[in-house]
Amino acid sequence: MRILNLGSLNYDKVYHVEHFARAGETILAGEHAVFLGGKGLNQSVALARAGAEVYHAGAVGSDGGPLREQLEAAGADTRYLLQLDTASGHAVIQLAAGQNCIIVCGGANRQLTDPYIDGVLDAFGPGDLLLVQNETACVAHAMRAAKARGMQVAFNASPITDELFGYPLELADYFLINEIEGMALAGTEEKDFGAILDRLAARYKAAIILTVGAAGAYYRRGAETCHAGIFEVPVVDTTAAGDTFCGFFLAAVARGLAPADALKLASGASSLAVSREGAANSIPTWEEVQKFLAT
């Protein structure tokens, strides 16, 4: 299975703070660092480090050289990556007590066009998979165009916006979501994971992969359900945890692993990621995850 990731690429500007800034409040940051990230870049790096054959489509600005280099260093194919005469996307991330609060500015990620998407997808077909998130332009068109070519579609429903509910979600084969995104899609404010899975499984034919923080992760497709717990590690930075999970889960699916085994592998990978600071640079390799699980 070839995986085409239509994904965002951002510079992550990270600030360590005692607490998240409240409305009208000015706070001081203890430390500041800039990392390479974006949900798309993180997920492509995770896929590549997990051994998947991944191609990254998307756009960077004139400042995007390091973002392209990060993808290529991880092993992702960048032949379809555009460079536009604008600024790359970026995110402002507050870190407090191991948790994060993120603001994303789309930049070049939001300037993709339908003709560009069609040109990329013409190189793919049955047996391949398209991965999309809600951080680029043309997501709905890409989903429809991919299905028209016989591809599978994996959808990572982040961030939650009104735009997301206009997407053809019924076309997705895999939903990779966290508990907040799951609650929004299920139309509930209750953190009842079983009820969330029931509602989403009744509404969509997709396999639902729901990550729920300290409670682990769930898989549901039809009547099939499985669960994986978390691994206890010192939490340093949760920024790329979900993206690492997503990439390793899909890489495991591409290898033919059963859902329960894919969940365990992805949980191990995300546990390693949160024990390190940063986004893409915190994502482990397949070999590191295997060694971690063995010990």
Side-chain angles (χ1 to χ4, degrees):
M1 178 189 291
R2 295 184 299 167
I3 299 177
L4 172 65
N5 183 8
L6 176 63
S8 58
L9 303 101
N10 294 329
Y11 288 102
D12 289 343
K13 303 178 180 181
V14 180
Y15 300 87
H16 290 257
V17 295
E18 292 186 356
H19 63 268
F20 297 148
R22 295 181 286 266
E25 181 182 26
T26 299
I27 60 177
L28 297 177
E31 297 178 32
H32 166 253
V34 178
F35 297 102
L36 306 179
K39 296 194 72 64
L41 182 143
N42 294 340
Q43 290 172 13
S44 282
V45 168
L47 283 160
R49 290 183 180 165
E53 183 180 353
V54 57
Y55 298 78
H56 194 99
V60 295
S62 54
D63 58 346
L67 297 167
R68 180 190 295 271
E69 291 166 7
Q70 174 71 83
L71 287 170
E72 293 172 347
D77 191 307
T78 62
R79 72 183 70 183
Y80 303 111
L81 187 62
L82 291 177
Q83 179 171 317
L84 303 177
D85 187 20
T86 186
S88 298
H90 73 270
V92 175
I93 302 173
Q94 298 178 70
L95 288 182
Q99 298 300 309
N100 61 47
C101 182
I102 304 175
I103 301 172
V104 178
C105 178
N109 299 307
R110 304 297 298 179
Q111 296 187 28
L112 303 180
T113 65
D114 290 352
Y116 162 73
I117 300 297
D118 290 335
V120 174
L121 287 172
D122 282 344
F124 296 83
D128 298 327
L129 180 143
L130 172 71
L131 169 61
V132 290
Q133 315 85 28
N134 192 23
E135 286 191 346
T136 70
C138 304
V139 173
H141 177 79
M143 294 175 71
R144 294 188 181 96
K147 294 302 287 188
R149 289 163 172 78
M151 299 174 67
Q152 294 187 74
V153 172
F155 185 77
N156 179 214
S158 181
I160 294 292
T161 64
D162 291 339
E163 183 181 30
L164 181 149
F165 295 94
Y167 293 160
L169 301 181
E170 69 281 359
L171 299 181
D173 297 279
Y174 297 91
F175 273 124
L176 297 116
I177 53 179
N178 64 29
E179 57 190 282
I180 303 302
E181 296 152 2
M183 290 164 59
L185 284 172
T188 179
E189 296 183 358
E190 299 294 328
K191 287 190 177 183
D192 183 335
F193 306 138
I196 292 171
L197 289 168
D198 288 342
R199 290 192 185 192
L200 295 179
R203 187 176 301 171
Y204 305 112
K205 67 177 183 179
I208 311 297
I209 301 93
L210 178 68
T211 58
V212 290
Y218 291 87
Y219 172 95
R220 169 73 66 84
R221 172 167 267 170
E224 182 182 8
T225 303
C226 53
H227 172 262
I230 64 167
F231 298 88
E232 294 292 340
V233 297
V235 176
V236 175
D237 183 352
T238 62
T239 302
D243 298 330
T244 301
F245 186 99
C246 175
F248 271 79
F249 181 87
L250 291 177
V253 168
R255 287 174 180 251
L257 270 66
D261 295 328
L263 280 185
K264 181 178 180 181
L265 180 86
S267 294
S270 60
S271 295
L272 282 175
V274 301
S275 69
R276 307 165 176 174
E277 186 174 19
N281 59 298
S282 74
I283 299 171
T285 63
W286 179 272
E287 291 74 21
E288 287 178 306
V289 176
Q290 294 299 320
K291 181 177 180 181
F292 174 71
L293 294 178
T295 57

